[in-house]
Amino acid sequence: HVQLVESGGGSVQAGGSLRLSCRFATGYSAVTLCMGWFRQAPGKQREGIAAINRRGTTNYADSVKGRFTISQDNAKNTLYLQLTSLRPEDTAMYYCAASRRGCLNWVQSTTFRFWGQGTQVTVS
């Protein structure tokens, strides 16, 4: 079982930046092949926005490409999402997720078995 705990959300003005962190518990490297970030705004479906595999290959949704950066530090057991040039439409609950599969279908939430509790990002 992989435990994920997000942090780093908050309120920021448009054009600002935030860095989200997702700390994962021991056992990650043995069972997960893909880590991702999703977000869900009120009344909308959960949206896959970024993913990274164990080799460090990254994928991004068009809506965040060039503005958000996903990275991981396995020595610290932490996944990051750097958010820059934030827009009001980026307001959502952000979740990190882990999968025992590869990142081939990373945009699908069903690819990921383990989820964090979420951290709120509000852009005004």
Side-chain angles (χ1 to χ4, degrees), residues 35 38 46 54 57 61 72 82 99 105 124:
M35 299 287 291
F38 285 72
R46 190 167 293 191
R54 291 178 65 180
T57 302
Q72 59 188 2
Q82 180 71 44
S99 174
N105 295 311
S124 59

Side-chain angles (χ1 to χ4, degrees), residues 1-5 22-36 51-57 70-75 77-79 96-104 111-116:
H1 183 72
V2 179
Q3 293 181 330
L4 306 170
V5 180
C22 172
R23 186 168 179 83
F24 40 86
T26 303
Y28 153 77
S29 61
V31 300
T32 59
L33 298 180
C34 184
M35 299 287 291
I52 186 168
N53 65 15
R54 291 178 65 180
R55 293 190 301 273
T57 302
I70 187 172
S71 62
Q72 59 188 2
D73 185 336
N74 290 330
N77 285 352
T78 305
L79 177 74
C96 67
S99 174
R100 293 178 174 174
R101 309 174 190 176
C103 285
L104 182 63
T111 294
F112 297 86
R113 178 175 179 179
F114 306 105
W115 293 84

